[in-house]
Amino acid sequence: MISTSWLQKRRPYWARIDELLARSGGSGVRALTHTELQELALLYRQTASDLATIREDASSRNLAHYLNQLLGRAHNLIYMGRRSRPIGVIKFYRETFPQIFHETLPYTITATAIFFSTAAAGLMVALVDPGFQRYILGPAMMDTIEKQQMWTHSIVSMKPLESSHIMTNNLAVSLTTFALGITGGLGTVLMLAFNGLLLGVISGACWRAGMLGQLTSFVAPHGVIELPAIFIAGGAGLLLAKGLLFPGTLPRRASLALEGGRAVRLVLGIIPMLIVAGIIEGFVSPSDLAVKWKYTLAAGLFGLLLLYVMRKGPKSPRPPAAEVPGIANLPIGAVSDSKVSM
């Protein structure tokens, strides 16, 4: 349990970190003297120890959250001058991205639910009203489907060029879905809903034309990677909206910076997924490879993806940097008033 006397003893050290960070401003470590940098490093280690102690007290959750933010700011200031190395990229994809994916999984699940809800709605409407599917897909594509022909023949004849175009398009869709989170999540929801509706309508049109098997064998090899990547981008957009609309105890700007930092990491994590999906969509999905091998490839890729994203990296002790209110403004009631000293 945390005593009031222990809290009062530690508060000046936390306030000093906040003071040093405020002085650094936009100039970074250059704004601090060598002595101040040494002091900041020492205070950083002490505060990390304080945070570990505070986390043992369930009633001190607000204080633990504040110190987490403070350590995040200090960590970024201390290490911002280090040059990036290739090992950092490897560490990001091996540890950081899976961990952030775990921490933000509810947002990805919400994005997935939005997509498939509108996909189901589009499928049902397309099956009931053929005119609706023609309106959404256009006469040219509907004529192709009604002739029981796939619209992917052009990909086969120009594989490298089309693969590059597909990658670019998938990246654009994902980045747009994420960036529209700044609209309070409205744009992200609309992007997810529209793409879900489009898939549902295409599925309905192919079903009516007896081509559902051809569609699924085409989509499966790349879709098991491409669709989860879009869902993660959608989750990142919703996370961005959360930081904007629901800042909690943080200033809105600080909340947006915090959640935006995590959202950007999510988007960076899906770039290799989209590249792989684009290659498969350009070279494998429209090919004459036997259907059973396409489904086998899809199952294998999806299994590997699950193994990757569902593994937990080391627990990150610090979130990204964010501006937070001074410790002096934190009420004593945020922690336990227990008389037991630590």
Side-chain angles (χ1 to χ4, degrees):
M1 301 291 288
I2 306 297
S3 68
T4 302
S5 60
W6 182 87
L7 172 64
Q8 291 175 342
K9 180 180 178 181
R10 303 308 302 168
R11 284 176 66 184
Y13 299 108
W14 305 334
R16 178 56 176 165
I17 293 181
D18 192 68
E19 178 187 346
L20 291 173
L21 294 175
R23 283 190 54 199
S24 67
S27 301
V29 294
R30 291 174 297 179
L32 304 178
T33 67
H34 180 71
T35 302
E36 288 173 333
L37 283 174
Q38 289 181 320
E39 181 186 8
L40 178 61
L42 177 60
L43 290 171
Y44 175 85
R45 292 192 293 270
Q46 290 176 339
T47 304
S49 177
D50 293 343
L51 177 59
T53 299
I54 289 169
R55 278 177 169 167
E56 296 178 1
D57 182 9
S59 63
S60 301
R61 189 172 302 173
N62 288 343
L63 181 57
H65 181 72
Y66 170 79
L67 291 184
N68 228 3
Q69 312 306 311
L70 190 64
L71 284 172
R73 296 170 63 201
H75 177 270
N76 278 15
L77 176 63
I78 292 170
Y79 294 102
M80 68 185 297
R82 297 197 311 177
R83 291 186 177 182
S84 59
R85 297 176 295 173
I87 190 67
V89 177
I90 296 173
K91 183 178 180 181
F92 172 80
Y93 286 106
R94 185 182 63 199
E95 299 176 2
T96 305
F97 175 68
Q99 181 60 43
I100 293 179
F101 175 81
H102 265 273
E103 294 173 357
T104 60
L105 185 57
Y107 298 93
T108 300
I109 292 175
T110 300
T112 305
I114 294 170
F115 182 92
F116 281 114
S117 296
T118 54
L123 174 62
M124 290 186 291
V125 174
L127 291 176
V128 172
D129 183 6
F132 178 74
Q133 62 191 31
R134 180 170 287 272
Y135 173 76
I136 295 294
L137 301 180
M141 187 170 183
M142 281 304 305
D143 291 342
T144 302
I145 293 175
E146 288 170 357
K147 295 175 182 177
Q148 295 190 331
Q149 296 176 352
M150 290 294 288
W151 54 92
T152 57
H153 299 307
S154 61
I155 299 178
V156 177
S157 60
M158 303 178 66
K159 290 180 181 179
L161 181 61
E162 285 300 319
S163 179
S164 175
H165 174 73
I166 289 167
M167 287 183 205
T168 303
N169 179 70
N170 290 343
L171 284 168
V173 170
S174 298
L175 291 175
T176 301
T177 302
F178 154 65
L180 286 175
I182 201 65
T183 63
L186 179 61
T188 296
V189 170
L190 289 177
M191 281 290 291
L192 290 167
F194 174 77
N195 282 280
L197 179 70
L198 189 61
L199 179 62
V201 172
I202 292 175
S203 299
C206 290
W207 190 342
R208 292 177 64 92
M211 296 176 56
L212 189 59
Q214 291 175 258
L215 176 67
T216 54
S217 65
F218 169 74
V219 172
H222 65 271
V224 294
I225 301 178
E226 179 184 308
L227 291 179
I230 292 175
F231 301 154
I232 293 172
L238 296 177
L239 185 63
L240 190 64
K242 182 260 183 185
L244 178 65
L245 299 178
F246 305 103
T249 58
L250 295 176
R252 195 174 305 277
R253 182 178 177 181
S255 175
L256 185 60
L258 173 64
E259 302 300 357
R262 295 204 295 168
V264 167
R265 286 166 171 79
L266 280 176
V267 174
L268 289 175
I270 67 173
I271 290 176
M273 296 168 58
L274 293 172
I275 292 174
V276 172
I279 293 172
I280 294 173
E281 188 173 356
F283 289 88
V284 178
S285 296
S287 70
D288 294 328
L289 184 68
V291 172
K292 66 177 182 179
W293 294 119
K294 289 185 178 183
Y295 286 128
T296 300
L297 175 63
L301 289 172
F302 188 65
L304 290 173
L305 178 62
L306 286 180
L307 288 175
Y308 170 59
V309 298
M310 296 310 293
R311 63 181 290 274
K312 287 188 177 181
K315 181 65 177 177
S316 174
R318 295 168 294 270
E323 295 295 327
V324 293
I327 188 68
N329 295 328
L330 189 69
I332 295 293
V335 297
S336 171
D337 286 328
S338 170
K339 301 304 180 181
V340 179
S341 299
M342 300 198 66

